[in-house]
Amino acid sequence: MDQRPLRHFLALAETLHFGRASDACHVSPSTLSRSLRQLEASLGVRLVERDNRTAYLTREGRLFQQYAREALEQWAALRQTLMEEAGELAGEISIYCSVTASYSFLYELLSEFRLRHPRIELKLHTGDPADAIARILGGDEDMAISARPETLPAQLAFKPIATSPLVFIAPHEAADWLPAESQPPLAAAWADTPMILSESGLARERTDAWFRSLGVKPRIYAQVAGNEAIVSMVGLGFGIGVVPQIVLDNSPLADRVRTLEVSPRLAPYDVGLCVLEKKLRNPLIRALWTQVAETPRPADA
């Protein structure tokens, strides 16, 4: 069966940009447009409205997007079931994680898996860890390495692989805005401290709650996508940041910052593998999920 028209449409539905979608599918924009026209002609409806600059899904396009995802998932599951019965798994799994997670966890998680299943292709996408859960829920990725949210959506399965504290970091150089490390922290001192924080995600939620407990509204110097950039900006002396300890341990700039002892400490979080429950029916994903279950859990960071 030719799955390419569905894959072309899903790429366009995600990017809403013909150029980026055609690049992702490794086809020309004219081929992508022709594929879309053929789908629309078969269905008798418009799936995408577009002009010279923008594109957006119609109501019918949003409905078809859900169908296309489910159709590809069911086809992949059937194909892999047949391969599993034949004794060898083949296909691809997409995994989303932060840059830090890619070199902190992936080798240990995947090295044995690759030996057991050499015909399974692993596609890695890296980005802001705060986006991981949304990408899984949206069907953009098969699996993600992510912090466990305070409330895990019911349709998700989560398998812990490590635990990491959240730490406040400051530049080594003295600055007049650096708060004294008193116990408990002085609200007045922290009110004037420039903070470099994640735009969203669990670390941001817990940092905001920490400031609320002081009765202080944080002075935000910068909001950053990705923890690695926070370490860079703190090392340059722009402010104080909050990052997972595992990010700091793996940062090439770790020697340019220092941790601050604060009270109360931020609660640590579990880092683990996340997947939609329904995707565990896919033999490829189930095989990787089982492999993680067999892997000894690393000591807490």
Side-chain angles (χ1 to χ4, degrees):
M1 293 179 64
D2 187 0
Q3 307 294 318
R4 286 174 296 180
L6 296 184
R7 296 187 186 280
H8 293 171
F9 171 76
L10 287 176
L12 181 58
E14 180 181 349
T15 63
L16 296 178
H17 189 282
F18 279 82
R20 289 196 291 270
S22 60
D23 287 343
C25 296
H26 306 291
V27 299
S28 67
S30 61
T31 298
L32 186 75
S33 295
R34 184 166 58 252
S35 183
L36 176 63
R37 288 196 300 270
Q38 290 171 349
L39 277 177
E40 291 178 329
S42 298
L43 294 167
V45 295
R46 292 293 293 272
L47 300 175
V48 179
E49 294 289 352
R50 64 270 200 195
D51 56 29
N52 291 333
R53 294 187 177 181
T54 60
Y56 62 91
L57 295 181
T58 63
R59 176 181 176 277
E60 293 79 8
R62 291 192 296 272
L63 291 173
F64 188 72
Q65 182 183 26
Q66 180 178 351
Y67 162 80
R69 283 174 173 165
E70 292 176 353
L72 289 177
E73 288 173 4
Q74 291 172 12
W75 170 254
L78 175 60
R79 180 171 176 265
Q80 299 313 322
T81 297
L82 297 175
M83 287 185 177
E84 190 174 41
E85 292 176 354
E88 186 173 16
L89 294 176
E92 67 179 44
I93 301 174
S94 66
I95 302 175
Y96 180 86
C97 65
S98 67
V99 173
T100 296
S102 71
Y103 50 70
S104 298
F105 301 117
L106 280 185
Y107 181 83
E108 184 173 354
L109 291 179
L110 300 180
S111 56
E112 180 65 23
F113 182 78
R114 291 289 293 149
L115 292 175
R116 292 188 184 185
H117 305 287
R119 294 187 62 196
I120 295 180
E121 181 181 354
L122 300 168
K123 293 196 170 181
L124 177 65
H125 304 129
T126 59
D128 187 350
D131 295 336
I133 298 296
R135 291 182 70 87
I136 292 296
L137 291 173
D140 302 310
E141 310 287 350
D142 295 319
M143 286 184 165
I145 298 176
S146 168
R148 191 185 196 283
E150 299 285 7
T151 302
L152 188 70
Q155 61 268 50
L156 291 185
F158 184 89
K159 187 184 296 295
I161 55 179
T163 298
S164 180
L166 284 170
V167 295
F168 285 76
I169 58 173
H172 276 299
E173 293 77 10
D176 56 9
W177 45 260
L178 279 172
E181 294 185 64
S182 58
Q183 304 295 337
L186 298 176
W190 282 91
D192 293 327
T193 300
M195 298 297 301
I196 302 165
L197 302 176
S198 301
E199 293 176 340
S200 58
L202 193 59
R204 179 59 185 269
E205 293 169 8
R206 292 186 177 173
T207 304
D208 287 346
W210 188 87
F211 274 98
R212 285 196 299 271
S213 72
L214 285 186
V216 169
K217 181 178 180 180
R219 175 188 163 198
I220 306 296
Y221 177 84
Q223 299 184 86
V224 180
N227 290 305
E228 294 81 6
I230 295 177
V231 181
S232 298
M233 294 189 72
V234 171
L236 289 168
F238 291 118
I240 287 178
V242 175
V243 296
Q245 180 70 50
I246 195 168
V247 171
L248 188 59
D249 290 344
N250 288 280
S251 174
L253 302 175
D255 60 347
R256 299 189 181 182
V257 302
R258 59 189 175 93
T259 58
L260 295 178
E261 290 296 327
V262 301
S263 179
R265 293 184 176 183
L266 298 179
Y269 62 39
D270 282 333
V271 179
L273 202 60
C274 185
V275 63
L276 284 171
E277 288 273 8
K278 67 180 183 179
K279 285 203 171 186
L280 291 175
R281 296 193 293 268
N282 183 313
L284 275 71
I285 295 174
R286 187 169 64 249
L288 179 52
W289 188 257
T290 303
Q291 175 74 38
V292 172
E294 296 172 355
T295 302
R297 183 170 171 177
D300 290 354

